[in-house]
Amino acid sequence: MVEENSNMLLGVADKPPAFRMVLLAIQHVCAMFGATILVPIVVNTTAGADILSIPVALVSSGLGTLIYLICTRNRSPVYLGSSFAFIAPMIAGYAIGGTGSVFTALMIVGLVYVIISLIIRMSGPGWINKLLPPVVVGPMIMVIGLSLAPTAISEIGLDLAVVPWNNLVVAFISFLVTALVAVRGKGILQVIPFLIGIIVGYVVAALLGMVDFSQALTAQVIEIPKFYLPFLHYDLNFAAVLTIVPIALVTMVEHVGDHKVLSEIIGRDLIEDPGLQRTLLGDGLATFLAAFLGGPANTTYGENTSVVGMTRVASTYVIGLAAVIAIIFAFSGHLTALLTAIPAPVLGGISVLLYGFICVNGLKILIHNQVDFNNTKNVVVAATMLVLGLGGASISLATGDLSLAISGMSLAAIVGVILNLVIPEEKHE
């Protein structure tokens, strides 16, 4: 049954018919695919070495999501994908101690999550709400969505001096079809607007000669991902621990923020049920397994949360099937190549809605909790977070082999938490 205080078409425990469930799951895979494979691409390109593998990232994402669902007893419709927060630390860690040091440190990150989850289990989650009230969480989520906006703009090509006309056509059609289906779609179409938008955009791009099918034609039917395992391919190396592990404290703030947003969407407080101790445990074990296999750290994906919100389908059966499909794709050379071949303007047009929806959810948190912006303290906290998060602010600390960089949403979140705790409440005469 759908939760009483939720406007979901399908609740967390609801199971859609088989064919519809497959379509809904593929939609989630399409939503997470671009960002999940982008992390290995960026890390490898920047470092000038093959540190991460795209198929391994997909396997890690799928297995990690299944672990998360088990830990949360299928009570939270979250999809886990490759974390962007660890891109710079991974590159720095590789320079310090090589590939083995990166994965050793990422496994420890997962263990840090597990330890924090055990602490919360003993102490309760009450202190989280004090640490992260709506005036902090709302702007945090807005920053997450808006900081992703340049990615959508870049995918479309709107940041170029001369925008290719075919980019505009494909992006506009992808966006318009998705929006129209989301608003006016009936029956099954109503719950798969992103999938429909991607398919139509893909076809239009192919007709315009924008799709390169060469890799799909030459790919193997079954390709085993190149896993990178400890004690088999490398010995544990702790050289990069101080460079990578501290970022876990930052990504935990993101974890809490994403779950608060999803709580607003589905109408149930996930911090209480299934509980932050369970969600962090799932995220931590997922990240540990990902690093053990040679993949990037996992994190909750706002893109998939947006899909849940816009389609109003919160079924964990759908999320679980999406995870299984991601794993299958990782072993299928043809399917991976076809998804990789989706032109950037198609994803850009879709992302305008996805990233915008994340931002609007942050605004909804402020409205729903009636945050008083006549209170100067609230204005100071929110305004500072928005400027730091969207202005490209970054703080880098380095001493010897230790380097730590905090920027964007992470910096905004930390500063927001500190300001909310240290600034006294406004006194009225």
Side-chain angles (χ1 to χ4, degrees):
M1 293 293 293
V2 178
E3 289 85 352
E4 292 182 2
N5 62 337
S6 170
N7 65 348
M8 294 286 102
L9 295 174
L10 289 174
V12 171
D14 293 331
K15 185 177 182 179
F19 179 68
R20 178 174 294 193
M21 184 161 66
V22 170
L23 293 179
L24 288 167
I26 292 175
Q27 181 173 243
H28 272 285
V29 173
C30 290
M32 70 83 184
F33 191 84
T36 295
I37 70 170
L38 184 60
V39 171
I41 291 172
V42 172
V43 169
N44 293 348
T45 301
T46 306
D50 290 331
I51 302 173
L52 300 174
S53 159
I54 288 177
V56 173
L58 288 173
V59 171
S60 301
S61 170
L63 290 177
T65 299
L66 293 176
I67 289 173
Y68 174 91
L69 292 174
I70 292 171
C71 289
T72 57
R73 300 176 299 181
N74 288 323
R75 298 286 289 165
S76 177
V78 160
Y79 193 93
L80 300 180
S82 304
S83 174
F84 280 73
F86 289 94
I87 288 179
M90 280 192 289
I91 295 169
Y94 174 76
I96 293 171
T99 307
S101 71
V102 171
F103 296 124
T104 300
L106 289 179
M107 282 190 282
I108 295 175
V109 167
L111 294 178
V112 169
Y113 268 61
V114 172
I115 292 171
I116 298 297
S117 74
L118 294 176
I119 293 173
I120 292 175
R121 180 180 293 275
M122 292 184 291
S123 65
W127 57 274
I128 292 293
N129 290 324
K130 182 178 180 180
L131 199 65
L132 297 169
V135 71
V136 172
V137 174
M140 184 193 308
I141 302 306
M142 294 174 71
V143 167
I144 291 174
L146 292 176
S147 63
L148 290 170
T151 302
I153 299 302
S154 177
E155 287 174 331
I156 297 172
L158 292 174
D159 57 344
L160 301 175
V162 179
V163 184
W165 66 269
N166 51 359
N167 281 25
L168 290 176
V169 170
V170 170
F172 178 72
I173 290 176
S174 302
F175 170 87
L176 187 61
V177 169
T178 304
L180 289 176
V181 173
V183 174
R184 301 301 298 272
K186 302 296 182 182
I188 190 172
L189 294 180
Q190 186 181 21
V191 295
I192 55 170
F194 294 103
L195 182 58
I196 297 298
I198 289 173
I199 291 174
V200 173
Y202 204 153
V203 171
V204 172
L207 293 175
L208 294 176
M210 299 171 62
V211 182
D212 180 9
F213 291 109
S214 59
Q215 289 188 355
L217 294 174
T218 59
Q220 300 295 320
V221 176
I222 298 178
E223 293 185 0
I224 306 298
K226 296 179 180 178
F227 299 109
Y228 194 73
L229 305 174
F231 308 114
L232 181 61
H233 298 108
Y234 67 94
D235 293 323
L236 294 181
N237 184 332
F238 299 93
V241 166
L242 294 179
T243 298
I244 294 175
V245 173
I247 303 299
L249 301 177
V250 176
T251 54
M252 272 189 278
V253 176
E254 180 183 2
H255 175 101
V256 174
D258 284 341
H259 281 80
K260 281 183 172 286
V261 168
L262 188 56
S263 297
E264 293 286 337
I265 291 173
I266 69 174
R268 180 162 54 80
D269 188 356
L270 297 174
I271 303 300
E272 294 292 337
D273 180 19
L276 190 58
Q277 71 277 11
R278 289 183 176 273
T279 64
L280 278 173
L281 177 64
D283 205 341
L285 292 178
T287 291
F288 180 88
L289 178 63
F292 186 86
L293 296 176
N298 278 325
T299 188
T300 52
Y301 256 31
E303 291 90 335
N304 296 84
T305 298
S306 293
V307 172
V308 171
M310 291 197 70
T311 61
R312 294 189 293 159
V313 174
S315 171
T316 53
Y317 290 98
V318 171
I319 300 294
L321 181 57
V324 172
I325 291 174
I327 296 170
I328 294 173
F329 278 5
F331 286 86
S332 170
H334 291 300
L335 291 175
T336 301
L338 284 173
L339 279 177
T340 306
I342 297 177
V346 175
L347 298 176
I350 302 298
S351 296
V352 169
L353 284 172
L354 279 175
Y355 301 156
F357 190 82
I358 296 173
C359 174
V360 170
N361 273 320
L363 187 60
K364 284 171 63 178
I365 286 178
L366 296 174
I367 295 172
H368 178 74
N369 290 279
Q370 299 180 334
V371 175
D372 181 13
F373 281 107
N374 287 320
N375 184 327
T376 307
K377 175 183 176 178
N378 290 340
V379 173
V380 170
V381 173
T384 304
M385 291 182 67
L386 290 172
V387 170
L388 292 178
L390 302 177
S394 177
I395 295 178
S396 297
L397 305 174
T399 173
D401 290 336
L402 171 62
S403 63
L404 175 63
I406 305 175
S407 61
M409 190 281 294
S410 302
L411 179 60
I414 292 173
V415 171
V417 169
I418 294 173
L419 288 177
N420 183 67
L421 291 176
V422 301
I423 295 179
E425 293 294 335
E426 184 177 8
K427 294 183 178 181
H428 296 282
E429 295 296 334

